[in-house]
């Protein structure tokens, strides 16, 4: 089978032929149809992601495909089932074996492309806004990086949860994508002052930040009393430093969110969230935004789209039927 194989953090992964893996205890073997790319893939290339597997490994964190073999001890799945899996690795290949406990069956109306774009982006935003920040109807939600893979889903879910959504991104095209996802107000981070714009809008009750850096600082200063700030990631490359006395004065909360971390200590948070998200998708209330679909031999080009911020929403690698 063809697979994107990483053997060193000092050199790029290579598309190579590898033996087809056999499912072990508790695993499903999938014929992979699509794999979603994530910012975390860029960190894995350098070994700086918190859950980077030991070398060597096949890249690709979230996949969708068809069950073609079932390992010992697995129940509830049959050959031919269409599923999505957050495996953390192994997705950029024609075949992969994954923990059956992480697999979810796809609704009939969900395509493999949508499924590969779904779990991490929507899961991150839903768990962050619902489980962590307890976003309430009528509150003002400020989403930074609002045209990115997780940012667009935060706009969409925030609006679905009844919030007034302010989307912050760079450039008219990206802001248009956020507007189409449901944003009520738009801020161009390349030309407008985030703090000043939010002041005119009455401040932010919840801030969703996958960016960090200067945007975090400006957004932080726009918080209303008892505001909640969700730290999702640091796409800017700069981890912000928080002055604790500012938290005290406004009674603010800073909430970290690492979606995959719940697998280790509270997996029901994720499974319950995905059940809700799949139901919303089946009802036509969620619409995954995929700006690029590329073949497996262009997977590195897809990662470059993420690195250069030339994509909106998700980039998906199409692998099989």
């Amino acid at each position: 089978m063809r697979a994107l194989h990483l053997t060193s953090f000092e050199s790029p992964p290579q598309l190579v032929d590898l033996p087809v893996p056999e499912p072990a205890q508790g695993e499903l073997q999938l014929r992979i149809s699509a794999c979603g790319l994530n910012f975390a893939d860029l960190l894995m290339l350098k070994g700086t992601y918190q859950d980077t597997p030991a070398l060597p490994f096949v890249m690709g964190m979230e996949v969708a495909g068809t069950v073609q073999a079932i390992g010992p001890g697995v129940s509830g799945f049959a050959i031919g089932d269409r599923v999505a899996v957050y495996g953390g690795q192994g997705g950029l290949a024609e075949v992969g074996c994954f923990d059956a406990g992480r697999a979810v069956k796809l609704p009939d109306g969900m395509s493999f492309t949508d499924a590969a774009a779904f779990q991490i982006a929507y899961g991150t935003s839903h768990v962050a806004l619902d489980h962590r920040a307890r976003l309430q109807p009528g509150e003002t939600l400020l989403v930074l990086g609002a045209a990115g893979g997780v940012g667009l889903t935060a706009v969409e879910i925030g609006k679905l949860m009844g919030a007034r959504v302010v989307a912050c991104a760079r450039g008219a095209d990206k802001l248009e994508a956020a507007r189409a996802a449901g944003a009520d107000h738009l801020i161009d981070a390349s030309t407008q002052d985030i703090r000043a714009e939010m002041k005119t809008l009455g401040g932010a009750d919840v801030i969703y930040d996958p960016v960090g850096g200067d945007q975090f600082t400006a957004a932080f200063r726009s918080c209303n009393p008892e505001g909640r700030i969700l730290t999702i990631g640091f796409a800017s490359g700069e981890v912000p430093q928080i002055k604790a006395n500012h938290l005290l004065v406004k009674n603010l909360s800073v909430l970290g969110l690492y979606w995959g971390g719940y697998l280790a200590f509270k997996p029901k948070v994720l499974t319950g969230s995905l059940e809700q998200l799949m139901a919303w998708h089946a009802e036509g209330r969620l619409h995954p935004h995929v700006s690029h679909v590329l073949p497996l031999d262009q997977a590195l080009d897809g990662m470059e789209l993420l690195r250069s911020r030339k994509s909106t929403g998700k980039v998906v690698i199409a692998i099989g039927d």
Side-chain angles (χ1 to χ4, degrees), residues 103-180:
V104 292
K105 294 181 183 179
L106 301 184
D108 291 340
M110 180 178 277
S111 69
F112 286 127
T113 297
D114 279 1
F118 197 81
Q119 289 188 93
I120 294 176
Y122 279 102
T124 293
S125 292
H126 184 246
V127 172
L129 295 174
D130 183 60
H131 180 71
R132 296 290 283 150
R134 307 294 183 187
L135 179 67
Q136 299 299 307
E139 289 190 314
T140 296
L141 167 67
L142 170 60
V143 180
L144 304 181
V150 293
L152 272 179
T153 64
V155 171
E156 197 174 4
I157 291 173
K159 189 65 177 176
L160 194 151
M161 293 177 66
R164 180 177 68 150
V165 180
V166 183
C168 181
R170 293 184 181 273
D173 290 347
K174 292 190 174 183
L175 288 171
E176 174 56 27
R179 185 204 62 76

Side-chain angles (χ1 to χ4, degrees), residues 131-311:
H131 180 71
R132 296 290 283 150
R134 307 294 183 187
L135 179 67
Q136 299 299 307
E139 289 190 314
T140 296
L141 167 67
L142 170 60
V143 180
L144 304 181
V150 293
L152 272 179
T153 64
V155 171
E156 197 174 4
I157 291 173
K159 189 65 177 176
L160 194 151
M161 293 177 66
R164 180 177 68 150
V165 180
V166 183
C168 181
R170 293 184 181 273
D173 290 347
K174 292 190 174 183
L175 288 171
E176 174 56 27
R179 185 204 62 76
D184 299 290
H185 302 278
L186 306 174
I187 298 175
D188 191 331
S190 61
T191 60
Q192 294 178 285
D193 184 305
I194 295 172
R195 183 190 183 196
E197 294 297 320
M198 288 305 301
K199 187 175 181 179
T200 66
L201 293 171
D205 300 305
V206 175
I207 293 169
Y208 182 98
D209 178 24
V211 178
D214 292 341
Q215 289 192 36
F216 173 92
T217 302
F220 181 91
R221 297 175 70 188
S222 76
C223 269
N224 290 328
E226 291 194 331
R228 290 91 75 201
I229 304 131
L230 290 157
T231 59
I232 307 299
F234 313 104
S236 67
E238 182 181 342
V239 178
Q241 303 302 304
I242 301 167
K243 294 184 177 180
N245 60 315
H246 291 182
L247 298 176
L248 181 153
V249 170
K250 284 191 173 182
N251 293 295
L252 302 180
S253 301
V254 179
L255 306 167
L257 190 282
Y258 167 40
W259 181 80
Y262 278 99
L263 287 168
F265 70 95
K266 198 178 284 186
K268 288 186 178 180
V269 170
L270 299 192
T271 55
S273 171
L274 285 171
E275 287 174 4
Q276 177 65 77
L277 290 167
M278 290 289 187
W280 280 340
H281 183 277
E283 294 166 3
R285 304 176 76 184
L286 296 178
H287 307 278
H289 181 96
V290 178
S291 64
H292 296 80
V293 179
L294 302 173
L296 182 57
D297 59 7
Q298 293 180 31
L300 290 180
D301 295 332
M303 292 184 194
E304 183 56 33
L305 288 170
L306 298 184
R307 191 193 317 277
S308 61
R309 302 182 189 180
K310 292 181 179 178
S311 61

